[in-house]
Amino acid sequence: MNALIEKAFREIGTKEISGSKHNPKIVNYAKEAGFSYIKDDETPWCSIFLNYLAKKVGLEHSGKANARSWLHVGLPVLDPEPGDIVIYWRESPNSYMGHVGIYMGYSQDKSRIYTLGGNQGNMVSETAYSASQLLGFRRLRPVEDMQFSHKNLQRGDVGEKIILLQDALKLVGCNPGTSDGIFGIKTENALKLFQANHLHLKISGVFDEATKQQLTYEIKAARKPLEPGILQNHKTS
């Protein structure tokens, strides 16, 4: 998810123009995201901005301009990490209105959620929202197949290839902890758990060819449409 955050950070400060003029960058977000009919910077654009970002970095996206459309994209998660998607309600939990952005973390007292996104104070910014308005968190999956290392990976290996493996393990429910690019004991245990769930795989903790093929298959299968997974008013204690 680092690519999503990095792409968003490069847009921080992009702001609506008051009056009859419109910021061409915001209009371009809409165009690039597939909303070519939107020609202004006054249409609520938090979901438009997120669609733009996700599309640019090769992640699945809602294809809709309403914030709550993201409740039906990706995988629902209860323990979010920076780079996951966070959706809030506005006016009331049962209304159609909402806000969506990129989860960056909780405040120390868990009362606020720091969110990186568009149309926050009429600009791209990082803003804290009340945790009481939380609808849910989602983890986006890559649109294309993940390109894993051609070599076997094992404990002690480091680098981008390990981050990719760690992200992939999370997508199939085997949590290796933070995607830090270090193949340590948590990543090894998560990989062993994945291998243990498949009788034809050796429980070695090594990311070998057979394990790679099975993981690739499961992530591809997971991209099929999911039943909506809405976490209504979920609070982290």
Side-chain angles (χ1 to χ4, degrees), residues 68 71 87-99 130-136 230-235:
R68 294 189 184 217
L71 287 166
I87 307 100
Y88 305 96
W89 58 264
R90 287 198 297 124
E91 293 197 349
S92 81
N94 297 319
S95 76
Y96 70 92
M97 301 178 71
H99 180 69
S130 174
S132 65
Q133 291 181 263
L134 175 66
L135 284 175
I230 301 177
L231 308 179
Q232 289 286 355
N233 293 327
H234 169 68
K235 294 183 181 180

Side-chain angles (χ1 to χ4, degrees), residues 173-192:
C174 300
N175 190 1
T178 303
S179 296
D180 56 6
I182 302 172
F183 198 134
I185 185 63
K186 288 185 178 179
T187 301
E188 183 178 74
N189 287 340
L191 188 59
K192 285 181 176 179

